[in-house]
């Protein structure tokens, strides 16, 4: 019992990145196969998500002071994005009502946490600060395909508003970002590119959903151009991030490495989705390759996490932030 209490007490808000990472890689393999791998990743991510919800709900009752402090951290928004990513997997599997349920949970968490994060904003910003954008765009990514399924235009409009808000939040964070984080960050600096990737994915899903719902051709043309521009901006962000890993390697394990897995998986997913919307086979091949790379990094970080958890259980390590 003491071991369980020690582990639960060690869980930080950033733990939601585990769900985000596994969830997005699961969505990648739902498109490319094998299906068993996709569902295995989903099962692990869903189990972690359920545990995190239980821990944070209990913490809000048992230690409200700590809960308020943690809710004000940008890393708390990982739970929003993780919830939405799981919903996206279920939506793609033809389970819209379960996806709507997770969308509702994600929206409630977003409404609860985002105001607290913005009220306690600090600068210069770091990688986790971009989670304000990621969490917002994750709602748009889930809402848009559900709107296409139900044929409700207002849902597309709501997703479009979230998409635009996400872009504004990205701009606010980027204008105050400490770019030295690219050289010294512990893994979360990758969200600089991951936020652009999920913004590109949101634009792609909106473009895909807007056609069947009768959006004006002019609006779709603008959205198409925005999607392409965001995709190239994401590429421009990923290149220095990847180069920094070669020039300034950081082999020491840190839980923030889960925030490296998510952008890699998101890069693969964006390529897969854009290949279908823009009919570019080369993007499909690129998306498959990056998906396997993301899985490899997921396995490495998962192994490090298991060692980290074992050390905490034994009382030999401190919780990671």
């Amino acid at each position: 019992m003491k071991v369980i209490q020690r582990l639960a007490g060690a869980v930080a808000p950033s733990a939601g990145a585990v769900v985000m990472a596994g969830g997005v890689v699961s969505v990648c393999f739902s498109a490319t196969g094998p299906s068993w791998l996709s569902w295995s990743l989903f099962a692990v991510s869903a189990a972690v998500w359920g545990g995190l919800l239980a821990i944070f709900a209990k913490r809000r009752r048992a230690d409200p002071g700590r809960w308020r402090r943690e809710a004000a951290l940008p890393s708390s928004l990982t739970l929003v994005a993780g919830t939405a990513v799981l919903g996206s997997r279920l939506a793609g599997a033809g389970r819209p009502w379960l996806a709507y349920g997770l969308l509702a949970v994600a929206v409630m968490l977003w409404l609860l946490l985002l105001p607290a994060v913005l009220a306690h904003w600090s600068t210069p910003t770091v990688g986790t600060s971009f989670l304000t954008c990621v969490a917002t765009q994750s709602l748009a990514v889930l809402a848009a395909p559900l709107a296409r399924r139900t044929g409700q235009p207002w849902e597309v409009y709501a997703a479009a508003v979230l998409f635009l808000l996400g872009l504004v939040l990205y701009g606010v964070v980027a204008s105050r970002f400490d770019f030295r984080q690219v050289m010294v960050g512990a893994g979360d600096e990758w969200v600089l590119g991951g936020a652009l990737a999920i913004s590109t994915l949101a634009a792609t899903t909106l473009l895909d959903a807007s056609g069947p719902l009768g959006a004006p051709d002019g609006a779709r043309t603008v959205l198409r151009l925005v999607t392409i521009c965001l995709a190239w901006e994401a590429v421009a962000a990923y290149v220095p991030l990847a180069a920094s890993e070669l020039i300034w390697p950081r082999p020491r394990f840190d839980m923030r490495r889960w925030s490296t897995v998510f952008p890699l998986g998101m890069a693969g997913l964006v390529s897969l989705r854009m290949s279908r919307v823009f009919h570019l086979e080369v993007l499909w091949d690129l998306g498959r390759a990056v998906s396997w790379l993301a899985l490899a990094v997921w396995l490495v970080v998962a192994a490090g996490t298991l060692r980290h958890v074992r050390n905490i259980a034994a009382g030999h390590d401190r919780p990671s932030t």
Side-chain angles (χ1 to χ4, degrees):
M1 183 61 70
K2 290 183 179 180
V3 172
I4 295 176
Q5 291 176 345
R6 187 184 299 124
L7 290 173
V11 172
S14 58
V18 179
V19 183
M20 293 169 58
V24 73
V25 179
S26 171
V27 177
C28 287
F29 285 104
S30 71
T32 66
S35 179
W36 65 265
L37 178 56
S38 173
W39 282 116
S40 296
L41 289 165
F42 176 86
V44 172
S45 303
V48 174
W49 175 79
L52 291 178
L53 279 185
I55 289 171
F56 290 131
K58 182 178 180 180
R59 188 173 293 171
R60 189 178 188 187
R61 297 192 303 269
D63 193 349
R66 177 181 177 181
W67 190 92
R68 284 192 295 270
R69 291 192 300 272
E70 293 181 339
L73 299 174
S75 56
S76 67
L77 294 168
T78 56
L79 196 56
V80 177
T83 304
V85 168
L86 294 180
S88 294
R89 177 65 184 95
L90 292 173
R95 294 170 173 82
W97 293 112
L98 290 175
Y100 267 117
L102 287 176
L103 176 59
V105 173
V107 169
M108 287 188 290
L109 289 170
W110 182 75
L111 292 173
L112 176 67
L113 296 172
L114 184 62
V117 171
L118 296 178
H120 296 83
W121 197 247
S122 62
T123 56
T125 57
V126 294
T128 55
S129 305
F130 287 100
L131 286 165
T132 54
C133 168
V134 171
T136 304
Q137 297 290 20
S138 70
L139 301 179
V141 169
L142 177 53
L146 289 175
R148 178 176 180 175
R149 179 181 291 270
T150 60
Q152 296 294 329
W154 72 266
E155 295 181 17
V156 175
Y157 298 145
V161 170
L162 288 167
F163 166 67
L164 293 174
L165 176 58
L167 292 183
V168 171
L169 290 169
Y170 186 91
V172 170
V173 176
S175 67
R176 294 162 174 81
F177 182 63
D178 179 7
F179 282 93
R180 291 176 298 176
Q181 290 294 311
V182 175
M183 297 179 287
V184 302
D188 61 302
E189 72 278 3
W190 277 83
V191 189
L192 167 70
L196 284 170
I198 196 172
S199 296
T200 307
L201 181 63
T204 304
T205 54
L206 282 168
L207 183 62
D208 191 37
S210 61
L213 295 178
D217 290 339
R220 284 178 51 78
T221 299
V222 171
L223 186 56
R224 183 181 293 270
L225 291 174
V226 170
T227 303
I228 295 172
C229 289
L230 285 172
W232 280 111
E233 288 177 7
V235 171
Y238 276 92
V239 170
L241 288 167
S244 72
E245 296 286 352
L246 298 175
I247 301 171
W248 300 285
R250 283 145 277 185
R252 183 179 177 181
F253 174 77
D254 192 293
M255 283 294 289
R256 283 170 288 186
R257 271 301 179 189
W258 285 109
S259 293
T260 302
V261 181
F262 173 77
L264 287 174
M266 188 55 64
L269 182 57
V270 169
S271 297
L272 294 171
R273 292 285 175 85
M274 287 187 69
S275 72
R276 182 168 61 85
V277 174
F278 289 88
H279 308 291
L280 294 172
E281 186 67 26
V282 65
L283 289 180
W284 179 266
D285 296 333
L286 176 63
R288 290 186 64 184
V290 176
S291 296
W292 284 104
L293 173 62
L295 176 63
V297 178
W298 185 93
L299 290 171
V300 172
V301 178
T305 301
L306 290 176
R307 289 194 299 269
H308 182 62
V309 170
R310 182 186 62 193
N311 290 336
I312 292 176
H316 297 156
D317 204 352
R318 293 184 178 182
S320 176
T321 56

